[in-house]
Amino acid sequence: TSADLFIGFLGSHEADKAPNFRFALDPDYKAQRPDTPDFIAKWRPIIYDELVNSYNFQLVDGMEADDACAIAAHTYSGQYDITVASPDKDLRQIPDVTIYNYQKHNSEYMDPVEAARSLGEQVLKGDSTDNIRGLPNIGKVKAKNIVANCKSEVEIKWTVMRMYCAYEQELRDKELRKILAEKRKTKTLDYDSDKYTSKQIERFIRIASKKDLD
């Protein structure tokens, strides 16, 4: 990359380092991944030792190397022209950097809107490799199309939020229908049915059902 300065990060596997904070938020994070292959278990400490001792790479604590890259990019933004070297798609969410994919040997500049668009796509579709769910029935192509015409970071944010709000409302409506059906069937309400009309009883049922839903 012809960089004058560099800083490198490695995800720590040492016992005295805190685990990635995502495991505390979601015990199922990366739960579907297979066990570490023997060849990685053998060579990882050798490679890590070389990178740490010869190139001063930093072992991160409580996060992933991706997180440390993003923090460093934000910290030094405006002071340097920054290149992030990684083949990981998640790092395309970092704004105002050039992403160098050292597997494909290509570079791509991520302006703030394009970086936000990449984040929006991930939030919509989830990430199967990390066992993170997105919205139902939204895959890579649909997620990309949803944010494709957004012109600003704010528009992308609100577009994604509206999709999640709509899904939440869909779940609430579905659950409310179930509660209403059960209450209409059992009529387990605290009132004297002889004193009220059917319309009033229906109103009581709806009020009680919404309270149950909440």
Side-chain angles (χ1 to χ4, degrees), residues 79-128:
Q79 303 176 50
Y80 301 97
D81 292 328
I82 298 171
T83 295
V84 176
S86 175
D88 194 326
K89 66 182 184 306
D90 291 344
L91 293 173
R92 298 183 74 256
Q93 301 168 24
I94 305 175
D96 199 27
V97 301
T98 297
I99 301 293
Y100 171 64
N101 185 325
Y102 52 71
Q103 289 181 346
K104 297 181 178 179
H105 302 290
N106 59 20
S107 297
E108 179 183 10
Y109 175 71
M110 303 302 299
D111 64 58
V113 174
E114 189 59 36
R117 192 173 283 122
S118 180
L119 172 59
E121 291 175 21
Q122 288 283 89
V123 173
L124 287 169
K125 69 184 180 65
D127 190 339
S128 59

Side-chain angles (χ1 to χ4, degrees), residues 14-192:
E14 296 182 356
D16 63 333
K17 295 290 187 179
N20 177 358
F21 69 91
R22 292 171 180 83
F23 290 106
L25 295 174
D26 183 2
D28 292 329
Y29 180 63
K30 294 187 177 180
Q32 88 293 0
R33 290 196 176 185
D35 293 336
T36 302
D38 291 341
F39 78 93
I40 290 182
K42 174 183 177 180
W43 286 102
R44 177 188 281 148
I46 298 170
I47 295 171
Y48 272 32
D49 184 71
E50 174 69 11
L51 291 171
V52 169
N53 292 312
S54 298
Y55 299 96
N56 199 31
F57 270 49
Q58 308 297 308
L59 293 172
V60 300
D61 197 3
M63 65 179 77
E64 294 184 353
D66 294 358
D67 300 313
C69 284
I71 291 169
H74 284 291
T75 300
Y76 297 113
S77 179
Q79 303 176 50
Y80 301 97
D81 292 328
I82 298 171
T83 295
V84 176
S86 175
D88 194 326
K89 66 182 184 306
D90 291 344
L91 293 173
R92 298 183 74 256
Q93 301 168 24
I94 305 175
D96 199 27
V97 301
T98 297
I99 301 293
Y100 171 64
N101 185 325
Y102 52 71
Q103 289 181 346
K104 297 181 178 179
H105 302 290
N106 59 20
S107 297
E108 179 183 10
Y109 175 71
M110 303 302 299
D111 64 58
V113 174
E114 189 59 36
R117 192 173 283 122
S118 180
L119 172 59
E121 291 175 21
Q122 288 283 89
V123 173
L124 287 169
K125 69 184 180 65
D127 190 339
S128 59
T129 60
D130 287 341
N131 206 30
I132 296 176
R133 291 178 297 174
L135 287 174
N137 303 316
I138 294 185
K140 181 178 179 180
V141 174
K142 191 170 183 179
K144 191 176 187 69
N145 290 338
I146 288 171
V147 297
N149 295 321
C150 296
K151 305 299 183 185
S152 68
E153 297 172 75
V154 172
E155 187 178 357
I156 293 166
K157 174 184 175 180
W158 284 104
T159 296
V160 173
M161 288 180 66
R162 281 196 296 270
M163 294 292 294
Y164 268 88
C165 287
Y167 179 56
E168 180 191 13
Q169 190 60 51
E170 179 184 329
L171 293 178
R172 289 177 64 86
D173 291 345
K174 182 179 180 180
E175 187 64 23
L176 181 59
R177 288 194 296 270
K178 288 171 56 179
I179 296 172
L180 280 168
E182 183 63 25
K183 287 193 179 298
R184 286 169 182 153
K185 181 180 178 181
T186 61
K187 292 186 169 59
T188 53
L189 294 174
D190 187 19
Y191 61 81
D192 185 349

